[in-house]
Amino acid sequence: SQQGEEDPQALSIQEGENATMNCSYKTSINNLQWYRQNSGRGLVHLILIRSNEREKHSGRLRVTLDTSKKSSSLLITASRAADTASYFCAPSGAGSYQLTFGKGTKLSVIP
Amino acid sequence: EAGVAQSPRYKIIEKRQSVAFWCNPISGHATLYWYQQILGQGPKLLIQFQNNGVVDDSQLPKDRFSAERLKGVDSTLKIQPAKLEDSAVYLCASSVGSEGYTFGSGTRLTVV
């Protein structure tokens, strides 16, 4: 399995603003997943984008994938205080069920 | 659908004591994972089971950590003896294939 690296490590925005976080990885993937972790809780699966997809939406979430640059971005529109959490990306290669997590992006949304 | 159940929620022990964590995955999920998450870091995989067999335990400190998944359902993770650096949140997750893990709420272990 391979690890994604999230950037920035920390992000602070005002409620209502958009939040963008990025993920880079090193080898080819089958899919890439984004997870959210609220303080002291387990991770929650947000969205999965396959290697043949370029963009995917889910509610206020928009994920893009650029396999040529080996990067992905997660955009949260019209952020809310409840979006305050750490966000992790997890690239998944062929034949591997295993996900490896980086340090994540810690998002703080200020009311 | 019921989620992944973990217990206990919190545990405080003294160093050199032993501790065990329990996980009940989502019904039908063949793959089960234990992760260790130290404060400020991302989760680190300790062990992966497929049904009741171990797929990967390369990052499990086998001198003190052990895990089992009898009958391919519930799993227990044990630490004996515990060290101060084992203080962390222990997360259990289950999946069908690689498309979306479901995590439990974790067990927060404090070793004093």
Side-chain angles (χ1 to χ4, degrees):
Chain A
S1 64
Q2 64 171 307
Q3 178 176 309
E5 291 193 19
E6 298 88 355
D7 176 72
Q9 289 190 22
L11 180 61
S12 184
I13 59 173
Q14 296 287 330
E15 201 165 31
E17 293 182 337
N18 296 341
T20 299
M21 51 206 88
N22 304 297
C23 170
S24 60
Y25 57 93
K26 293 185 177 171
T27 62
S28 62
I29 60 171
N30 270 0
N31 65 68
L32 186 142
Q33 303 171 43
W34 285 90
Y35 288 79
R36 181 189 73 229
Q37 184 178 36
N38 292 91
S39 180
R41 308 296 295 181
L43 282 72
V44 174
H45 181 258
L46 294 177
I47 196 166
L48 178 151
I49 187 165
R50 301 184 195 283
S51 59
N52 61 352
E53 298 175 312
R54 291 298 166 257
E55 187 171 312
K56 201 162 183 180
H57 297 254
S58 176
R60 294 184 296 112
L61 305 180
R62 172 179 165 247
V63 168
T64 62
L65 179 65
D66 187 334
T67 53
S68 66
K69 294 181 179 178
K70 293 186 173 57
S71 67
S72 174
S73 67
L74 171 66
L75 168 69
I76 304 173
T77 60
S79 64
R80 305 167 181 167
D83 295 327
T84 294
S86 291
Y87 292 81
F88 297 89
C89 70
S92 179
S96 173
Y97 291 179
Q98 206 173 96
L99 296 182
T100 302
F101 297 93
K103 293 186 177 181
T105 291
K106 190 169 184 177
L107 173 66
S108 298
V109 181
I110 303 164
Chain B
E1 173 181 82
V4 174
Q6 286 190 249
S7 67
R9 187 79 177 90
Y10 303 94
K11 191 75 177 178
I12 301 175
I13 61 171
E14 295 183 350
K15 59 184 179 184
R16 290 188 289 275
Q17 284 188 325
S18 63
V19 64
F21 313 126
W22 173 82
C23 172
N24 180 239
I26 289 177
S27 178
H29 280 196
T31 312
L32 183 147
Y33 315 81
W34 283 101
Y35 283 84
Q36 178 194 58
Q37 187 174 24
I38 292 171
L39 187 64
Q41 299 183 18
K44 170 189 157 187
L45 180 70
L46 292 176
I47 189 167
Q48 176 187 348
F49 290 95
Q50 182 75 17
N51 296 309
N52 61 348
V54 175
V55 174
D56 184 354
D57 63 357
S58 58
Q59 297 195 84
L60 187 74
K62 298 181 190 63
D63 57 336
R64 297 182 302 104
F65 285 65
S66 64
E68 61 182 8
R69 190 182 184 197
L70 298 176
K71 301 180 182 177
V73 182
D74 293 6
S75 177
T76 56
L77 176 69
K78 297 179 182 177
I79 308 175
Q80 181 179 11
K83 293 185 176 182
L84 295 177
E85 60 260 36
D86 298 332
S87 293
V89 176
Y90 291 84
L91 296 164
C92 178
S94 68
S95 72
V96 176
S98 67
E99 297 196 356
Y101 285 16
T102 302
F103 281 82
S105 295
T107 295
R108 182 177 297 275
L109 174 68
T110 303
V111 182
V112 298

